[in-house]
Amino acid sequence: MVEITKEMLEQLLEDKDVRKIIEIFDEYNIVDLAEIVNELSLGSTIDLMRILPSIHGGELFSYLDINLQKGILDALDPQRIKMIMDQLFSDDIVDFLKELPDQIQQKVMDSIEASDKQEIHTLLSYEENTAGAMMSTDFVELAQEDTIEKAMKKIKAQRKIAETVNYCYITDTHGVLVGCISLRDILFAPSNSLIGDVMENDVISVKVNEDQEEVTRTIQKYDFTIVPVVDPSNRLVGVITFDDVIDVIQEEATEDIHKMGGIMPVEDSYLNASPLTMAKSRLVWLLVLMVSYVISSLIITKNNELLTLVPSLITFVPMLMSTAGNAGSQSSAMTIRAITVDDLTMKDFPKVFMKELGVAAICGAILCVVNTLRIVLFVDGMGLDIAITVSLTIFFVVILSKLLGGFLPLFALSIKQDPAAMASPLITTAVDVLSLLVYFTLARVFLGV
């Protein structure tokens, strides 16, 4: 197949070669084509959306950059917008509606069928980052009294509007979820069998107000590709598919990385976010950390007499603070990961304590020995007493830092805060203070000052 390029599409649009453009969208993967279209100018993209059949236009639209989506919706007439919306699943519509200015959002809502409008309003009403906010209402629903033959007819009738037909859900007359069945089981069951006789009764579901991270854990735990969403009365209200979960995993991972780096979460991508937005996201923690380092300065100032008598002690302060920060960050990263993957909670702290104590003792002892040899053999003018003081400080601060790094994320979880917020910046500041206190205390003991 010929490789499609931005220049090729631009030329076809300039030549108004509609037939060739439609052929390309019939043959090539829509995701790959969307990457190329994202590089086109807004005017060219609008021209393309006007000539594409609705099925291609709707599919392409869902993969375009949000800024392009805004421009397209602002330029197209209501009828064309309706054609695009008719091809999109409800969760995709809700996702980009949240990003639109009020004026364009109203224009889109006016173009949607009245029967679908209430559904969209309901999805928009759910609290952000919950199952309700990420679910789709496009699913196949069957009844217990349906025969296999009737079920197949229902699936075929809904195949174009359902997000997936791999799994179908069975409800009673009140809409309560009572079972599920895979398409595979339907295909191999006798045509006169009742759905109620072959369905699975033990259905794993999530509540509509459940946090999206819990939804992710449920799908990971059971290896689902789709999970049903129910309201407090166990009525089926939607489904969440694996592609939605991947988006959540990416969002949560990005948010955790930002917080662990002392950055307030930014919704825009790195390239789309303005320098002012990026500065705002970083400035808060920078100010907090700058002020917190005053404590470290006060400790050093308080020990000026000791540093005057043994000036060489100041040489090792950066190394001690860095080692303490790195040890704490390692421990917190592992604990945060365990909270996410292994459902670690505060009740597991005794296990975390013992594990981190063992790891810290091993790492601290090795670092202690290596550092003693380094100072004695390679640092001129340093006595054994200073080598022992510095090395023992390393041993103790590694232990304290790793225990603190394991405790703080669990403590944050217990008070319903994000464990990632207790990561690198806060831990680094805390262990810096600890390392200085331990260092100067041991120095006074071993140096007799």
Side-chain angles (χ1 to χ4, degrees), residues 296-400:
S296 300
S297 300
L298 288 173
I299 295 172
I300 293 174
T301 302
K302 189 178 178 180
N303 288 276
N304 265 339
E305 181 186 352
L306 176 62
L307 294 174
T308 302
L309 294 172
V310 191
S312 56
L313 288 176
I314 197 66
T315 307
F316 301 100
V317 167
M319 182 266 291
L320 292 172
M321 294 173 71
S322 177
T323 301
N326 291 336
S329 295
Q330 286 179 337
S331 182
S332 68
M334 293 295 289
T335 305
I336 291 168
R337 176 65 176 166
I339 289 171
T340 303
V341 176
D342 302 323
D343 294 328
L344 215 63
T345 62
M346 194 63 181
K347 68 177 175 23
D348 297 306
F349 178 67
K351 296 178 183 177
V352 174
F353 180 89
M354 294 307 297
K355 187 175 289 291
E356 290 301 328
L357 182 61
V359 172
I362 295 169
C363 292
I366 293 173
L367 290 175
C368 178
V369 172
V370 171
N371 189 67
T372 301
L373 293 174
R374 179 185 72 87
I375 295 175
V376 171
L377 298 177
F378 301 107
V379 180
D380 293 333
M382 297 290 176
L384 184 60
D385 52 354
I386 291 180
I388 291 174
T389 299
V390 175
S391 298
L392 280 179
T393 301
I394 289 177
F395 177 76
F396 286 117
V397 299
V398 166
I399 289 177
L400 291 172

